[in-house]
Amino acid sequence: MILKRFKNKVKRILVKRVEVEKYYFDEQNLLFQFKLSNFFTPKKNAKAEFLVNEEVYPLTCEFVEKNHLVVSLPKNLLSAVTSSSSIQLTINNKKIWITQHEMYKAGDFQESILIANKLLSTKVKKNIIINNRFADFYFKDSSINAAVESVQYEALTMSLELSNVMSKDIKSVEVYAFNNFQFRVLTGKRDVESKPFVFDDFSEMAAGLWRLFLYADNKLYSLKLDKEFNEFFNSYHHQYKILRRDSFLYMELQPHAMETDSVSIEEKQVSEFLLSFDLKDKMTDVEYSLQVDEPKSGLLETYPLKNKNGLFQTVLPMYNLMDNLFVKRFFLVEHSDEPKVYRFSLDKRTLQNTTTRFKVISNSQLVKLKFYRRKDLSLGLAMTPAKLKKSIREVTDFKIDGIIGSIEEFIGSKAYLMIEDRASQESLQVPISGEFSIDFKSLDLIGIKSKDKTVLDLFVVIENNSQDVIRKEKIRYTKAQYKKDNYYSYMKQLDDNGNEHHFMITTTPFNNVKVESFTVRKDVEIPQDTKTKDENVWLMGERTNTAQDNGIVFFKWLQEHTSIEAYYVIEEDSTDYEHIKHLPNVLIFGSDQHFEIAFKAKVLLGTHDLENILPYKPAKGFFGYEETIKIFLQHGVLGRKNVEYHKKNYDMPFDLFIVSSEPEKKVIVMDEMGYDDHEVVATGLARFDNLIQVDPPKDILLMPTWRDWINTDEQFLKSEYFMAYSNLIQNEKLLGLLEEYNVNINFYPHYRAQDYFQSEIEDMHERIKFIPLGSQTVQQLLIDHALLITDYSSVSFDFTLLNKPVVYYHFDVERFFRKGILRPIEETFIGGIGSFEEELVTIIEDRIKSNFANFEYEITGIIKYQDQNNSRRIYDEVQKLLEAKRNS
């Protein structure tokens, strides 16, 4: 501990820091002031640049004191911000990482900047980031005079001078509140004749500083406060203060807090906790209850508090706390004529005199509980389930050696290794304990295979005495060196009918062990020479069960415009097969003809990994795979979520990687994914060729993508994802808009979510139409709709290319991009972004009322070509590659 403190002290002394202290305006500029620490050179050369819309502008820098730097950003450059921009600092020829000074954090610098009909937000993230967060709103230079007439519990009464916006066409107005990241509508529509305005619902507003605007006729007017107003008022969640800044109207919200002199936590018997609180500011004649909030699931539980000898006490049943092992937080609810919810305000010593850590048994396992003081000073509870220690240490000769530990933390339980077919969930189990060794050659792996080509996943399963599965987790290989097209151990077996079953032990990107398998039936004729390939035979596909993307579009183009012998492969039982089986050269996956073409095709083209188009493992040694030309046709525009197609993940990477723009090529595929310049071509995607809008559409398409952290039915039904979209399609304001404007929302969930939404949401409104998987192609759906609502799906680029508006629902953006995002959100999410339901509905309303007009954005940095010649360019690039290979 002493050494750590010493290191931190040395770090504070030696590490160079550049902290932004504040920003302010003069007549022509927005000025940022920085404090420099630990720059010991007497002379410091500073350079600042403003990066906006792919342009770089030098900024004026001036040292006002020895270690204080002021950077001037001209207002005319601010007016050019369309999405995201940044200020970058270089000092003594080194790029500088900017952080926030305490003065900045505590000051008023989180409010937005109103300039050139835009409300710009600022944040510090290595650089100074300036975002046009509310690009779909138009902020007027003129303002409306406002006067606060009175405040009371849950009510703010104001009069507004509406003469500046009054016209016979304006029937109603609304008041909006904006902070640096989001906005809220303070009240429902008001008739312009009604005075005064009474706002009585603040439940959706978060703590912090909000600026108020009047919304009328698709424009926002600043509200000017005629004089200072010094009274506070309360709502259930917050205390409100009316502020006057530069004569404009702001509201500052602070959560209610109750100072707590002491907290006592006792475990009573085995099934409950007794919590006792000594509350400093308590009202003795008021009843209180304890509220337990589970933010991740949205669950709230309330428990009565009894006043016993000056202490407030309640009993928390263990089974309620342990229902989900999610973080809990505690609030105090005051039941009075003006009820309020308080967070506890704990100082560092409050929890020192009570036990805060416990071990309890839940679901046959030991769970660690920790009551703690949260960053906001309130009381929290974290729960850690028993950790299942397990790993595979060696893989040799199709045998695995591993270890499992900490089984004693699972009460009355036993462990086994489960080998499970990914498609059918057929499985076999092998008991394990301590150090174990399993020879896979002795297991009946053929017996659990559901398809000729399949994946068998490995799990460690813990089962209690009642044979209930209490834990099922994948197991990792400690020596894993992940490659998509390689394996650690290989085995071939014959079944009773003489069919060859090939098995490879491989790992996932997370180093979890799996067994891949394919079958070569005895009647498949394998040529003596599989290394000789035919350059005129091209095999292509998408996922094994789809024909809706770049693969099928390019396949049809090749057949229509070239003499290439093009083949498309798809599973026979897929819905899409029925739509294309009439076309020539469509192969059934795993058929004899599929093997025949796979053996001789020189060019392999896939929208995903080539596993999806070959009946065998794409790896060296399998039927001349190393002699093929490998083309990645893509299934979207890269730049958002990280993908697994990095060059390092292959022994034999793609020979040609198709992208849509030069920035995607350079920034993502070359710089991030490791490909060389000659391996990446910005041709545009083949499917873009078919994006031709003929008839003007009318309806709205709702098409969310999936969440990779949802793995079970229970997780799905309790997820924020399910709740967000369930609530959206039942939102009363949205349904009212659909009725008023005679518009439908056609809901096309991700294929993994289809069954849930169809079975769990009963009595959908007649304006919400559910689209079953495969009933229409995605491309046709995009053409047939006027507005797309999605979250992170790359189909949004197709919609943008059709010059139609996209609205994004980013309620879980931080979690979705928890592993990083390849390009800033503002660069690739082209459209309106809603972070919460009300904001999303308001943006949708704006687009409906604008007759579905598109947002004004420049897209050449995302999609280079806006013609119908992408397939031609792809074909030409493949031919160039073939010629280069011939001549090498």
Side-chain angles (χ1 to χ4, degrees):
M1 181 63 74
I2 295 174
L3 181 61
K4 184 177 179 181
R5 287 176 183 170
F6 176 74
K7 286 181 177 179
N8 288 338
K9 188 174 182 179
V10 171
K11 186 177 178 181
R12 284 194 296 271
I13 294 173
L14 297 180
V15 174
K16 294 182 175 67
R17 298 196 307 277
V18 175
E19 301 167 293
V20 58
E21 292 183 316
K22 62 179 179 177
Y23 63 74
Y24 54 95
F25 280 100
D26 64 13
E27 289 186 3
Q28 301 296 329
N29 303 287
L30 174 63
L31 300 104
F32 287 87
Q33 180 174 304
F34 301 90
K35 180 181 179 183
L36 281 61
S37 302
N38 305 327
F39 285 80
F40 302 113
T41 53
K43 189 174 181 180
K44 293 183 280 292
N45 296 312
K47 182 178 79 170
E49 294 177 325
F50 186 54
L51 283 62
V52 57
N53 300 337
E54 299 185 3
E55 299 288 337
V56 180
Y57 298 93
L59 303 179
T60 302
C61 298
E62 181 182 359
F63 282 96
V64 293
E65 297 175 18
K66 182 180 179 182
N67 288 313
H68 282 85
L69 175 70
V70 173
V71 174
S72 300
L73 174 59
K75 290 181 180 179
N76 67 301
L77 290 183
L78 272 177
S79 64
V81 176
T82 56
S83 56
S84 181
S85 59
S86 63
I87 297 174
Q88 296 182 355
L89 273 182
T90 302
I91 297 180
N92 295 340
N93 297 318
K94 289 186 178 181
K95 283 193 174 181
I96 296 299
W97 187 330
I98 301 170
T99 57
Q100 293 182 20
H101 190 275
E102 290 301 319
M103 175 176 155
Y104 187 93
K105 294 178 185 177
D108 300 326
F109 309 114
Q110 301 305 312
E111 62 183 274
S112 298
I113 301 164
L114 184 60
I115 189 167
N117 307 118
K118 303 169 185 175
L119 191 66
L120 306 179
S121 61
T122 64
K123 66 179 178 181
V124 182
K125 193 174 182 181
K126 299 185 181 180
N127 301 307
I128 303 290
I129 310 296
I130 302 176
N131 291 327
N132 188 5
R133 175 68 180 81
F134 307 108
D136 41 317
F137 290 105
Y138 184 82
F139 294 85
K140 288 282 289 180
D141 295 329
S142 53
S143 58
I144 303 296
N145 291 325
V148 178
E149 297 192 359
S150 67
V151 291
Q152 58 191 56
Y153 178 78
E154 291 275 20
L156 166 65
T157 303
M158 286 196 308
S159 59
L160 303 178
E161 176 51 61
L162 299 177
S163 57
N164 289 357
V165 296
M166 283 288 289
S167 76
K168 62 180 181 180
D169 297 324
I170 298 178
K171 304 299 181 186
S172 63
V173 295
E174 294 174 302
V175 173
Y176 282 33
F178 289 80
N179 65 13
N180 216 11
F181 308 104
Q182 55 189 215
F183 74 90
R184 293 288 190 265
V185 181
L186 285 196
T187 185
K189 294 179 183 177
R190 297 281 178 170
D191 186 272
V192 294
E193 298 297 329
S194 66
K195 292 184 180 181
F197 285 74
V198 180
F199 306 110
D200 54 8
D201 184 4
F202 305 94
S203 58
E204 295 297 323
M205 296 181 72
L209 186 68
W210 298 77
R211 182 169 174 178
L212 271 58
F213 293 84
L214 182 85
Y215 183 77
D217 194 25
N218 295 323
K219 301 178 186 68
L220 285 154
Y221 300 82
S222 296
L223 292 185
K224 275 198 168 185
L225 194 58
D226 58 349
K227 59 183 179 180
E228 296 285 354
F229 190 86
N230 296 317
E231 293 185 44
F232 293 89
F233 72 100
N234 292 308
S235 73
Y236 182 69
H237 289 97
H238 296 101
Q239 182 182 75
Y240 293 76
K241 184 179 181 181
I242 307 298
L243 299 178
R244 185 173 183 264
R245 292 192 174 178
D246 296 326
S247 76
F248 294 115
L249 176 58
Y250 290 80
M251 292 175 63
E252 186 176 45
L253 283 65
Q254 293 183 343
H256 301 300
M258 181 76 76
E259 288 193 27
T260 311
D261 285 344
S262 67
V263 176
S264 174
I265 306 166
E266 300 176 53
E267 188 175 2
K268 307 293 286 185
Q269 303 168 5
V270 210
S271 58
E272 57 190 27
F273 285 105
L274 175 66
L275 269 64
S276 304
F277 308 97
D278 185 1
L279 305 173
K280 181 180 289 188
D281 300 323
K282 62 182 179 289
M283 296 169 58
T284 55
D285 57 343
V286 172
E287 289 186 7
Y288 295 92
S289 60
L290 184 73
Q291 187 180 86
V292 183
D293 176 26
E294 198 173 76
K296 191 173 180 180
S297 68
L299 295 177
L300 282 176
E301 295 282 352
T302 303
Y303 303 92
L305 279 171
K306 294 182 179 179
N307 192 338
K308 188 173 182 181
N309 300 324
L311 291 178
F312 285 89
Q313 295 184 333
T314 192
V315 172
L316 296 180
M318 196 78 72
Y319 64 86
N320 278 2
L321 291 178
M322 312 300 287
D323 185 39
N324 281 318
L325 300 183
F326 297 149
V327 168
K328 313 283 193 296
R329 53 183 182 172
F330 299 90
F331 296 93
L332 188 70
V333 179
E334 171 193 312
H335 302 282
S336 63
D337 293 338
E338 297 181 357
K340 302 178 188 68
V341 60
Y342 295 86
R343 61 172 174 79
F344 291 94
S345 182
L346 311 176
D347 66 29
K348 292 182 179 180
R349 297 179 298 276
T350 308
L351 295 175
Q352 288 180 353
N353 296 319
T354 189
T355 304
T356 57
R357 297 175 184 267
F358 302 88
K359 282 187 177 181
V360 300
I361 297 174
S362 175
N363 193 25
S364 302
Q365 60 184 306
L366 281 177
V367 179
K368 296 176 183 177
L369 277 67
K370 177 188 174 184
F371 291 88
Y372 67 102
R373 177 177 176 258
R374 292 166 49 88
K375 287 183 179 179
D376 62 2
L377 309 185
S378 60
L379 181 64
L381 171 62
M383 291 176 280
T384 307
K387 186 175 182 181
L388 181 55
K389 298 176 182 177
K390 78 280 184 203
S391 65
I392 290 173
R393 298 177 171 181
E394 291 290 345
V395 178
T396 54
D397 192 26
F398 228 68
K399 179 190 296 183
I400 64 169
D401 296 321
I403 187 170
I404 180 171
S406 64
I407 192 69
E408 69 280 355
E409 295 194 10
F410 298 87
I411 313 304
S413 300
K414 57 186 178 182
Y416 54 84
L417 185 76
M418 172 185 280
I419 305 160
E420 180 181 79
D421 183 272
R422 187 174 290 181
S424 67
Q425 276 77 57
E426 286 290 319
S427 66
L428 55 86
Q429 298 87 34
V430 181
I432 55 174
S433 63
E435 295 186 2
F436 61 87
S437 181
I438 300 174
D439 187 352
F440 277 38
K441 296 190 294 292
S442 66
L443 302 177
D444 182 18
L445 298 182
I446 295 176
I448 62 171
K449 285 181 58 176
S450 63
K451 298 191 295 186
D452 283 350
K453 190 173 186 183
T454 191
V455 175
L456 309 176
D457 291 306
L458 270 60
F459 297 93
V460 171
V461 175
I462 305 295
E463 190 178 87
N464 65 15
N465 288 333
S466 302
Q467 297 186 320
D468 296 324
V469 173
I470 59 175
R471 195 72 70 85
K472 180 182 177 183
E473 297 180 2
K474 293 185 177 181
I475 186 168
R476 292 183 176 179
Y477 182 29
T478 57
K479 298 180 181 179
Q481 293 181 316
Y482 173 68
K483 298 284 184 181
K484 288 175 180 283
D485 53 354
N486 207 335
Y487 50 87
Y488 305 104
S489 194
Y490 167 74
M491 173 182 74
K492 181 171 68 174
Q493 290 183 336
L494 290 177
D495 64 21
D496 295 341
N497 297 317
N499 303 311
E500 288 183 358
H501 294 266
H502 299 253
F503 296 93
M504 293 76 49
I505 296 179
T506 64
T507 50
T508 71
F510 302 103
N511 298 332
N512 296 316
V513 181
K514 66 183 191 295
V515 178
E516 297 181 53
S517 179
F518 66 87
T519 305
V520 181
R521 292 185 302 280
K522 67 176 181 179
D523 52 352
V524 170
E525 294 186 16
I526 303 175
Q528 287 187 341
D529 179 14
T530 56
K531 290 192 174 182
T532 300
K533 306 292 183 182
D534 187 336
E535 286 189 1
N536 201 53
V537 177
W538 294 12
L539 176 63
M540 65 201 66
E542 298 167 1
R543 287 195 181 96
T544 57
N545 62 350
T546 61
Q548 300 191 17
D549 206 332
N550 299 306
I552 191 64
V553 173
F554 191 54
F555 169 70
K556 291 178 179 178
W557 186 91
L558 287 172
Q559 289 195 327
E560 189 175 336
H561 295 91
T562 74
S563 60
I564 293 297
E565 196 177 329
Y567 292 86
Y568 191 91
V569 62
I570 188 171
E571 291 177 340
E572 186 176 18
D573 59 355
S574 72
T575 304
D576 285 352
Y577 173 70
E578 295 299 317
H579 302 149
I580 65 168
K581 65 182 182 181
H582 64 282
L583 298 174
N585 294 355
V586 172
L587 306 176
I588 295 172
F589 193 96
S591 64
D592 293 357
Q593 191 183 12
H594 182 201
F595 273 97
E596 177 191 345
I597 300 303
F599 290 152
K600 67 180 181 179
K602 179 69 172 179
V603 181
L604 306 175
L605 308 99
T607 58
H608 297 71
D609 273 314
L610 300 179
E611 286 281 4
N612 291 271
I613 68 170
L614 289 176
Y616 49 81
K617 173 73 175 174
K620 285 181 182 177
F622 289 116
F623 313 109
Y625 175 72
E626 55 268 41
E627 304 300 326
T628 60
I629 301 295
K630 304 157 193 70
I631 314 296
F632 186 46
L633 289 176
Q634 270 280 22
H635 52 276
V637 177
L638 298 175
R640 293 175 181 170
K641 193 176 180 184
N642 222 330
V643 292
E644 298 174 10
Y645 303 106
H646 293 68
K647 190 174 182 179
K648 66 181 181 181
N649 289 342
Y650 300 88
D651 277 342
M652 292 174 289
F654 295 110
D655 297 286
L656 200 62
F657 199 120
I658 303 301
V659 296
S660 299
S661 69
E662 295 301 328
E664 183 184 1
K665 171 181 176 175
K666 180 69 173 65
V667 177
I668 307 301
V669 183
M670 292 176 62
D671 294 350
E672 289 283 339
M673 302 176 73
Y675 287 85
D676 297 326
D677 180 75
H678 69 278
E679 297 169 323
V680 192
V681 286
T683 61
L685 304 186
R687 71 171 188 249
F688 289 168
D689 290 347
N690 287 2
L691 291 175
I692 302 172
Q693 193 73 56
V694 180
D695 300 319
K698 179 182 179 182
D699 290 335
I700 297 171
L701 177 63
L702 173 59
M703 189 177 173
T705 189
W706 184 246
R707 303 300 186 270
D708 60 11
W709 57 84
I710 299 176
N711 298 304
T712 66
D713 292 353
E714 183 180 12
Q715 283 180 339
F716 183 91
L717 296 175
K718 290 183 177 180
S719 68
E720 183 183 17
Y721 173 71
F722 177 62
M723 293 302 297
Y725 287 105
S726 299
N727 291 338
L728 177 64
I729 61 177
Q730 298 175 85
N731 182 281
E732 291 185 6
K733 180 178 179 181
L734 178 59
L735 295 175
L737 286 166
L738 300 180
E739 288 282 6
E740 182 180 353
Y741 289 90
N742 192 27
V743 172
N744 295 321
I745 285 183
N746 293 314
F747 185 24
Y748 188 62
H750 187 275
Y751 72 91
R752 294 177 65 180
Q754 283 253 334
D755 290 343
Y756 296 111
F757 281 111
Q758 196 166 20
S759 60
E760 293 297 327
I761 302 177
E762 298 178 358
D763 301 322
M764 281 193 193
H765 192 277
E766 61 181 6
R767 288 289 176 186
I768 308 293
K769 314 290 186 183
F770 187 88
I771 303 177
L773 183 68
S775 59
Q776 298 181 57
T777 67
V778 170
Q779 196 157 57
Q780 194 59 49
L781 285 172
L782 299 178
I783 292 171
D784 289 346
H785 289 84
L787 173 69
L788 172 66
I789 306 169
T790 187
D791 38 28
Y792 313 105
S793 174
S794 63
V795 298
S796 62
F797 295 114
D798 301 56
F799 215 77
T800 298
L801 195 56
L802 285 164
N803 195 30
K804 297 189 292 189
V806 183
V807 178
Y808 301 93
Y809 197 6
H810 283 186
F811 59 89
D812 59 352
V813 63
E814 290 185 3
R815 188 175 187 189
F816 192 86
F817 292 117
R818 66 198 183 281
K819 298 174 185 175
I821 184 169
L822 297 175
R823 293 175 72 178
I825 283 177
E826 296 79 6
E827 288 186 15
T828 62
F829 290 95
I830 307 170
I833 300 176
S835 301
F836 53 94
E837 187 175 322
E838 186 180 53
E839 182 178 24
L840 182 74
V841 172
T842 301
I843 298 171
I844 296 168
E845 177 184 21
D846 177 65
R847 290 301 94 189
I848 292 175
K849 290 180 176 179
S850 302
N851 199 26
F852 296 113
N854 196 10
F855 302 100
E856 293 183 10
Y857 287 99
E858 172 61 49
I859 68 168
T860 52
I862 302 295
I863 300 172
K864 180 177 181 179
Y865 298 105
Q866 299 177 46
D867 56 22
Q868 272 69 51
N869 296 318
N870 298 311
S871 293
R872 166 63 65 183
R873 283 187 286 270
I874 295 170
Y875 170 75
D876 289 344
E877 292 294 341
V878 177
Q879 290 292 358
K880 287 181 194 175
L881 179 60
L882 283 169
E883 185 177 353
K885 294 284 186 182
R886 265 186 248 117
N887 297 331
S888 63

